Amino acid sequence: MKKGTTLEDFYKEIATKIPEDISKEIGHFNVFEFEKLFDKTKGKHIMPYSKREYYKISLIKGKNKAEYADKVINLDGSVLLFATPKIPYHWIPQSTEQSGHFCIFTQEFLTQSNVGLLLDDLPIFSPGSYPIFHLSEAETEELEYIFNKMQKEISTEYIYKYDLLRNLVLELVHFGQKLQPTMALYSSQKASERISSLFIELLERQFPIESSQQRLVLRTAKDYADRLAVHVNHLNKVLKENTGKTTTEIINSRVVQEAKILLKQTNWNISEISNSLGFEEVAHFSNFFKKRTSLTPLSFRR
């Protein structure tokens, strides 16, 4: 089963240990220089951009292209980018000259109790938004100052440094919210392939189910269409053309696959599995499973 890039995966990718003092904090935060994580010989980022289990704010200087569902954004110069683990996109460098900074943090690092807001309620982290902002020279300098301050602060022994770092992250968030997002240029060329690719990526991000307390967030075709900022009918049409199946058929097939794994590899009861897979009633899950496998969940488990 595919999994999202965890913090452990991220640090393994960049051949760096997770700092001990960071791992002891509630939540996680770190800041990096972008240039050090860009492989100029291969023309790509050492760190994968596709599947993340953390939030990311980047100041990037270079020529790049971002793809969100049926939109393509061509970028040249300095940009500010906000990334959430809940919305997939593709980031494609167009040159080897890449520089800047970025910080990563988990949802636990910026909770409503310690910063007074919910990350996913903010426009720049909302489904349907295009959280990429072109920057002037003055804006770039101001953001570089904030990132440099982060990098200086994180290396200190100051006991309250993470409180200061939270404030600096919030400064980046509010800085971005005051900017006008870069206009997304519509492109029909290969748009259906991008939508299909991002849909599958978004679907796989829901799995694996690793705890009986975990529950599928996206369950219907409309849930996925809303997250990808396309109409549900358009998503169905695109997937039918590219895969021969409808959105609902693909979702249901993946849910059945996960149900089989949970029935065979865990000792959870049927009610727990049903709830984790997004069913309101055990009877609904049993009927769903039997319709697609000709077996009840209990019969399959035996």
Side-chain angles (χ1 to χ4, degrees):
M1 290 182 291
K2 295 180 181 179
K3 291 182 65 176
T5 297
T6 64
L7 286 168
E8 289 77 12
D9 295 333
F10 166 75
Y11 282 98
K12 186 176 180 180
E13 287 279 352
I14 63 174
T16 304
K17 291 183 178 179
I18 297 180
E20 292 183 7
D21 59 335
I22 293 178
S23 60
K24 293 176 183 177
E25 292 293 317
I26 297 174
H28 183 95
F29 172 88
N30 211 342
V31 60
F32 302 90
E33 287 184 55
F34 196 87
E35 193 172 11
K36 293 180 180 178
L37 299 180
F38 186 80
D39 188 338
K40 290 191 175 184
T41 61
K42 296 181 180 179
K44 65 180 183 179
H45 304 96
I46 295 173
M47 188 194 75
Y49 267 83
S50 55
K51 297 186 177 183
R52 291 172 298 275
E53 294 182 357
Y54 44 85
Y55 292 79
K56 185 162 174 282
I57 304 176
S58 307
L59 167 62
I60 305 171
K61 293 182 283 185
K63 191 173 183 179
N64 298 281
K65 181 169 68 174
E67 299 179 345
Y68 286 80
D70 62 346
K71 303 293 189 296
V72 177
I73 307 173
N74 292 302
L75 306 161
D76 195 359
S78 297
V79 296
L80 182 63
L81 168 66
F82 293 84
T84 162
K86 297 184 177 181
I87 305 173
Y89 67 94
H90 293 158
W91 181 267
I92 307 166
Q94 301 296 293
S95 76
T96 58
E97 298 303 316
Q98 303 282 331
S99 62
H101 312 264
F102 69 88
C103 63
I104 62 172
F105 53 93
T106 58
Q107 192 166 31
E108 292 77 17
F109 185 71
L110 290 184
T111 63
Q112 190 170 22
S113 61
N114 62 29
V115 297
L117 53 79
L118 289 171
L119 279 177
D120 293 334
D121 285 346
L122 297 173
I124 55 176
F125 289 123
S126 298
S129 66
Y130 296 95
I132 299 176
F133 308 89
H134 266 303
L135 302 169
S136 67
E137 187 175 335
E139 289 166 340
T140 301
E141 289 180 2
E142 188 172 348
L143 288 169
E144 283 183 328
Y145 174 79
I146 296 173
F147 275 107
N148 286 331
K149 194 171 182 180
M150 283 180 172
Q151 290 182 313
K152 181 179 179 180
E153 193 60 52
I154 202 168
S155 63
T156 70
E157 300 297 324
Y158 183 48
I159 191 172
Y160 299 115
K161 67 181 179 183
Y162 289 102
D163 292 324
L164 292 176
L165 288 164
R166 284 188 185 94
N167 289 333
L168 291 172
V169 172
L170 285 177
E171 194 169 344
L172 291 177
V173 167
H174 290 297
F175 190 103
Q177 290 198 140
K178 290 188 289 184
L179 297 172
Q180 285 293 109
T182 299
M183 292 300 293
L185 304 177
Y186 181 83
S187 173
S188 59
Q189 185 182 14
K190 297 185 178 179
S192 65
E193 293 178 15
R194 286 196 299 273
I195 293 172
S196 296
S197 173
L198 291 173
F199 165 77
I200 296 301
E201 182 180 320
L202 190 55
L203 175 65
E204 288 298 333
R205 285 191 185 190
Q206 313 306 307
F207 303 98
I209 302 294
E210 297 178 307
S211 163
S212 59
Q213 305 305 310
Q214 184 180 342
R215 199 166 195 265
L216 289 186
V217 176
L218 306 178
R219 190 63 184 82
T220 68
K222 188 176 186 306
D223 290 339
Y224 285 89
D226 289 346
R227 190 61 63 86
L228 292 169
V230 296
H231 194 280
V232 66
N233 292 342
H234 184 55
L235 179 59
N236 272 321
K237 179 176 180 290
V238 163
L239 291 174
K240 189 72 174 177
E241 289 174 351
N242 283 273
T243 69
K245 297 180 180 179
T246 66
T247 312
T248 299
E249 286 171 340
I250 297 172
I251 295 169
N252 287 344
S253 176
R254 187 63 182 85
V255 171
V256 168
Q257 179 187 343
E258 193 70 12
K260 289 179 177 179
I261 292 169
L262 295 176
L263 287 166
K264 289 292 189 181
Q265 298 184 9
T266 75
N267 60 359
W268 306 350
N269 61 46
I270 303 302
S271 178
E272 289 174 321
I273 293 174
S274 170
N275 183 67
S276 291
L277 293 174
F279 292 89
E280 298 298 333
E281 302 288 342
V282 176
H284 295 164
F285 169 61
S286 295
N287 291 335
F288 169 89
F289 190 83
K290 187 174 182 180
K291 182 178 180 180
R292 289 159 180 82
T293 65
S294 300
L295 294 170
T296 66
L298 281 176
S299 297
F300 180 83
R301 172 166 269 178
R302 295 192 193 104

